[in-house]
Amino acid sequence: MKITYIHHSSFLAELSRFSLLFDYYTGEIPETDRNKPMVVFSSHRHWDHFSPDIFRLGEQRKNVRFVLSNDIEKGRVPDREGERTIFVTPEQELEISVSGEKLTVHTFRSTDEGVAFLVDCGEAVLYHAGDLNNWYWNGEDENWNRTIGAMYRRELKSIRTVLDRWGKEIDAAFLPLDGRQEDKFCLGLDEFVKTVGARWVFPMHFWDDFSIADRLKAMPESSSYRERIVSIKRDGESFFPDISGTAGEKPQKGEDI
């Protein structure tokens, strides 16, 4: 498996049977094998998670599907891509087939807008949080913060329940690590790893603060999982996480994109 960080919350995951693109809105999308099916996910309508530019991929290949949260306006989908676009709601599970290859997607309710995606590709399980996070803001009404925290923990339990039903674990999780939350910046990621678990953790939504993963690694809170946190240093950086070995093995970096 090859994972490329594109920008902000966007990743491209290349597996043996699929290429998966998550939450693209800007940046360079690496060239992939056009004979391999591609599924493009957009978790919600916010400008930093969705752009109609994704539909240009439909001009380049026939074997593509677009999976969009239903808060994205249908009018933003070109007519030519209507039949290849699937709108999803929270708490939905569906099987997607592209050129005879199948994967399973389960969606979860965000604590902000849209959905989070849990994707079983057969060889690997990937999770993209979108804006599902424990958005605790210093200075915000404490009742609001408590409500968001309770909503978040409820979704974590739901994710764990689905994984147990599938008999699977998450191989790569893409999780918000947002420095704007000040001392609470790692609250949601920490709760996720300790409640749900993941073999590899890719921080995202960090607004070009590439030092943030190393800040978390230096904190005592991460002592049980810091070796699983991938330190991303630039847009376009690629990794080859080992999903067959033990959870503490360091992913190899790829060539420059």
Side-chain angles (χ1 to χ4, degrees):
M1 179 169 65
K2 178 182 179 181
I3 292 178
T4 301
Y5 173 72
I6 297 176
H7 182 71
H8 193 55
S9 295
S10 183
F11 292 85
L12 175 70
E14 298 176 70
L15 299 100
S16 65
R17 298 187 301 118
F18 282 100
S19 294
L20 309 179
L21 178 64
F22 293 95
D23 277 22
Y24 176 83
Y25 84 96
T26 191
E28 182 177 349
I29 301 174
E31 182 63 34
T32 61
D33 181 355
R34 297 190 183 186
N35 293 317
K36 184 184 297 184
M38 173 177 276
V39 183
V40 181
F41 298 89
S42 295
S43 66
H44 61 291
R45 64 186 177 182
H46 287 170
W47 64 268
D48 58 327
H49 291 262
F50 167 75
S51 169
D53 287 347
I54 59 174
F55 298 112
R56 294 178 183 173
L57 293 166
E59 300 172 359
Q60 304 167 5
R61 57 176 77 216
K62 296 180 179 180
N63 52 353
V64 63
R65 293 289 184 276
F66 301 95
V67 182
L68 312 183
S69 170
N70 73 341
D71 68 314
I72 297 172
E73 295 178 3
K74 291 180 173 58
R76 306 195 76 181
V77 180
D79 290 342
R80 69 176 188 276
E81 300 301 346
E83 292 185 358
R84 297 198 288 186
T85 300
I86 302 168
F87 286 92
V88 295
T89 58
E91 302 173 5
Q92 183 177 356
E93 186 165 307
L94 65 156
E95 184 178 80
I96 297 173
S97 178
V98 191
S99 299
E101 300 289 353
K102 297 180 181 180
L103 56 74
T104 301
V105 178
H106 195 105
T107 60
F108 301 90
R109 189 176 305 279
S110 177
T111 46
D112 191 355
E113 295 272 3
V115 301
F117 296 107
L118 185 66
V119 184
D120 181 5
C121 304
E123 67 187 274
V125 175
L126 307 181
Y127 171 79
H128 191 284
D131 270 354
L132 174 55
N133 188 32
N134 191 343
W135 295 112
Y136 187 107
W137 299 103
N138 292 326
E140 183 60 77
D141 179 79
E142 192 57 30
N143 287 330
W144 189 93
N145 282 329
R146 282 199 296 267
T147 298
I148 292 296
M151 290 171 59
Y152 183 64
R153 288 185 287 275
R154 182 171 64 244
E155 294 306 307
L156 296 189
K157 290 180 180 178
S158 294
I159 297 168
R160 186 64 258 170
T161 297
V162 171
L163 288 168
D164 290 343
R165 174 167 57 82
W166 287 359
K168 300 285 184 77
E169 298 295 333
I170 294 173
D171 293 292
F174 309 111
L175 304 173
L177 198 61
D178 195 323
R180 299 175 303 168
Q181 291 184 267
E182 301 174 299
D183 60 315
K184 307 299 193 302
F185 79 101
C186 64
L187 184 61
L189 186 150
D190 184 74
E191 290 176 317
F192 185 96
V193 178
K194 291 176 178 176
T195 301
V196 177
R199 185 181 297 276
W200 298 108
V201 176
F202 288 81
M204 65 178 191
H205 210 278
F206 48 76
W207 303 101
D208 290 329
D209 180 6
F210 290 96
S211 68
I212 200 163
D214 290 335
R215 283 168 52 198
L216 175 57
K217 287 184 177 185
M219 296 170 62
E221 287 86 346
S222 69
S223 61
S224 63
Y225 60 85
R226 60 172 59 111
E227 294 301 319
R228 290 181 269 159
I229 303 172
V230 178
S231 294
I232 301 169
K233 300 302 183 186
R234 59 178 175 81
D235 289 357
E237 189 170 17
S238 295
F239 301 88
F240 295 87
D242 185 351
I243 58 175
S244 62
T246 59
E249 292 178 323
K250 186 176 181 180
Q252 300 176 8
K253 291 189 177 182
E255 298 296 326
D256 287 351
I257 300 298

